[in-house]
Amino acid sequence: MRVFPLRLKEEELVRWGQRIGREVTCPVFLGLEGPLGAGKSVLARAIAAGAGVEGPIPSPTFNLVFRYPARDGIEVVHMDLFRLQDPSELRDLGWDELLEGPELVLVEWPERAGSLLPPDRWEIGLRREEDDPLLREVRQRRVGNPPPLPPPPQASAADRGRS
Amino acid sequence: MKPTLVLGIETSCDETSAGLVEAPGRLLGHTIHSQDVHALYGGVVPELAARAHLSRLEAVVEETFRQAGRRPEEVDGVAVTAGPGLIGALLVGVCWAKALAFALRKPLVAVHHMEAHLFSPSLEDSGAVPPFVALLVSGGHTLLLYAPRWGEYTLLGQTRDDAAGEAFDKVARLLGLPYPGGPAIQTLAQEGDPARHPLPRPMLRSNQTPDDPDYYDFSFSGLKTAVVTLTESLERQGRLEEEKRHLAASFQAAVVEVLVEKTLRAVEQTGCRRVLLGGGVSANRLLRARMARRLGPGGKLFFSTPRLAVDNGAMVARAGLFRLEAGEVASWSLSADANLPFPNLRPRQGTRVP
């Protein structure tokens, strides 16, 4: 069992995201947590691209939700809940119907959904390292019984140096 | 009979607005109700937005007719923003417009919000017509396109992550400034040194060629992260307060340089020295000044006064007039589409339409 948090370079984070997109079984819900600039969108874009989404994957901050067709009839749902004031507003976004089909659901600021988060999910926490802005601290938490995720790539040299 | 009088309704985000336009493009009445409640929350709140639109739309439309001295029965069509935008907010406008058009027995016209922005400057300057290179920059969009004529567009560039206005909002939040971030950063930047903090100019490299897929594209997420890093480091040194104005100036300079240089690339490649700025960020004074200077005396720059640069019903009415003249009438089953595709927007070689 890997000890968390991991320390990954951005390209390692991207490689892991692409692999998640290629391999994970759907439906699956991934909450991406972390402060502004931590890499939530970087990871979300990598996962979507890995799942076969073509073209740009713009930030959903303004529109709250974007949907993309992807591999094997999967739909990637990219949401940003930052602007939500109350979980009840999720109704407007089709939250109740999420995960009914083969969806790969990527939610930034999932904590805004409060008790409406699905019982089976992954929570991935991201932080930038204070002493090395190129490194991301990654925490992965399994809640309930979501489909497995591929393991993150080998930790970066900086991480190995510490362990 | 040729349509002459069109009502436009706009509720895609936080402005509840209506406009009345008479052919060929005369603005007769125009009302905007901005939802100040969002400033409290540092952004648009979707549920509040929809409810507020519903409670204000009737008064906004009535006021617009009152200004114009016209009656609803006189219109030749009702135009409404069908997308893109917040779905709940859009639905209010679409349902309202549909009901009004149905009751009046007049055609309903669906308008694309970003195409409508292209029509805004023409309401104040009859020369602001294609051909032009257009830079549409707002909280949700960053689009660079070429319009040889109305209704025909080539997509040149777009953002790959954050929109330009979104970057302003997020950096404003980092610096503890109010929403919307654009005006707040612009004001603070006036007292700052734009060269004090060298920030990246994402996707802007001198060795790019038009064959590169990112030649015209934008990316503001990395710039935002650079500001986050810098802010944290200054805070640890206890210098954030004194450096805020320089950070604002440096950030604004970086965004503006990327927007201007990418637009100038489009000008060089299309040979069209007419540039139109649209969307909320087009109100940025540095952007307007730099763009005008780089275009030089042989160029022409079009933009709207602030009341028509933000989201408004007047541009929707003008875009609706164009669509109605082309015989495009929406069916009664029209619905809002949060991701409505831009009409007749063709990708340039090697790019994709959003």
Side-chain angles (χ1 to χ4, degrees), chain A residues 36-37 45 54-59 61-66 82-85 89 91-92 128 130 133 136, chain B residues 13 41 44-47 86-87 139-140 158 160-162 166 170 173 225 228-229 232 236 338-339 352:
Chain A
L36 207 61
R45 266 189 282 279
E54 296 179 344
I57 300 158
S59 157
T61 302
F62 186 80
N63 264 21
L64 306 171
V65 55
F66 284 122
F82 181 79
R83 300 189 301 165
L84 240 53
Q85 290 305 305
E89 293 167 10
R91 279 197 328 257
D92 280 359
R128 274 174 329 98
E130 251 186 30
R136 298 287 187 276
Chain B
C13 188
Y41 296 106
V44 177
V45 184
E47 183 76 11
L86 301 171
I87 188 66
Q158 61 193 312
R160 299 201 176 177
D161 39 58
D162 296 359
E166 178 183 351
K170 286 182 172 172
R173 201 161 70 225
T225 305
V228 172
T229 312
E232 287 172 355
R236 280 198 298 276
N339 303 323
R352 280 168 194 284

Side-chain angles (χ1 to χ4, degrees), chain B residues 2-353:
Chain B
K2 239 174 111 84
T4 57
L5 190 66
V6 174
L7 173 71
I9 290 173
E10 158 67 35
T11 63
S12 69
C13 188
D14 50 358
E15 268 85 22
T16 312
S17 179
L20 199 58
V21 167
E22 189 175 53
R26 204 157 67 87
L27 183 55
L28 302 182
H30 180 214
T31 313
I32 302 182
H33 193 117
S34 212
Q35 298 185 15
D36 307 330
V37 63
H38 299 310
L40 299 173
Y41 296 106
V44 177
V45 184
E47 183 76 11
L48 288 181
R51 273 188 224 145
H53 286 309
L54 193 55
S55 66
R56 281 163 189 163
L57 204 39
E58 187 173 356
V60 162
V61 170
E62 274 177 6
E63 168 62 16
T64 303
F65 278 108
R66 197 195 59 74
Q67 284 172 14
R70 300 295 188 93
R71 288 174 298 112
E73 294 73 23
E74 295 176 58
V75 302
D76 298 301
V78 178
V80 63
T81 302
L86 301 171
I87 188 66
L90 286 166
L91 277 167
V92 171
V94 167
C95 293
W96 212 92
K98 200 189 285 187
L100 180 65
F102 191 80
L104 293 171
R105 298 168 195 274
K106 297 292 164 74
L108 177 71
V109 188
V111 166
H112 187 279
H113 179 76
M114 297 311 285
E115 188 192 26
H117 271 298
L118 296 176
F119 283 92
S120 256
S122 72
L123 291 168
E124 297 173 310
D125 173 356
S126 58
V129 295
F132 53 64
V133 168
L135 176 69
L136 297 179
V137 270
S138 66
H141 301 271
T142 307
L143 275 180
L144 182 61
L145 55 86
Y146 173 59
R149 57 188 65 84
W150 287 129
E152 197 175 302
Y153 311 109
T154 304
L155 172 67
L156 298 173
Q158 61 193 312
T159 184
R160 299 201 176 177
D161 39 58
D162 296 359
E166 178 183 351
F168 271 100
D169 287 339
K170 286 182 172 172
V171 166
R173 201 161 70 225
L174 276 172
L175 300 181
L177 301 173
Y179 174 91
I185 285 181
Q186 172 171 276
T187 304
L188 188 60
Q190 281 172 343
E191 309 153 19
D193 172 8
R196 171 90 141 228
H197 299 288
L199 289 167
R201 267 61 173 165
M203 293 198 179
L204 189 63
R205 303 179 305 278
S206 53
N207 62 357
Q208 280 167 306
T209 71
D211 294 332
D212 292 330
D214 65 355
Y215 187 66
Y216 296 113
D217 274 354
F218 304 93
S219 164
F220 294 110
S221 177
L223 176 59
K224 168 197 71 193
T225 305
V227 177
V228 172
T229 312
L230 201 51
T231 306
E232 287 172 355
S233 143
L234 289 168
E235 194 157 28
R236 280 198 298 276
Q237 300 163 33
R239 293 169 49 219
L240 182 58
E241 241 1 89
E242 65 193 83
E243 289 296 323
K244 269 185 183 173
R245 58 203 168 105
H246 304 305
L247 266 176
S250 303
F251 166 75
Q252 179 179 250
V255 174
V256 166
E257 184 180 337
V258 174
L259 292 175
V260 169
E261 293 311 314
K262 297 267 175 172
T263 306
L264 261 291
R265 285 178 175 180
V267 166
E268 298 308 327
Q269 292 299 315
T270 58
C272 176
R273 300 198 72 80
R274 296 159 58 84
V275 171
L276 180 140
L277 297 178
V281 181
S282 74
N284 184 277
R285 290 190 296 271
L286 185 69
L287 175 63
R288 291 175 171 187
R290 283 285 155 80
M291 195 73 85
R293 193 191 308 165
R294 286 286 276 115
L295 270 173
K300 188 87 184 111
L301 183 63
F302 304 109
F303 51 77
S304 302
T305 51
R307 67 183 188 127
L308 290 177
V310 297
D311 296 347
N312 67 83
M315 66 183 194
V316 176
R318 179 63 189 82
L321 175 64
F322 167 73
R323 293 282 159 202
L324 202 54
E325 282 173 342
E328 290 179 34
V329 173
S331 88
W332 295 118
S333 63
L334 174 72
S335 189
D337 181 352
N339 303 323
L340 188 69
F342 201 111
N344 304 327
L345 181 63
R346 290 187 190 80
R348 74 178 181 110
Q349 210 70 30
T351 65
R352 280 168 194 284
V353 172

Side-chain angles (χ1 to χ4, degrees), chain A residues 13-15 17-19 21 41-51 57:
Chain A
L13 184 67
V14 167
R15 217 172 339 121
Q18 289 169 343
R19 201 172 153 204
S41 293
V42 169
L43 181 58
R45 266 189 282 279
I47 295 172
I57 300 158

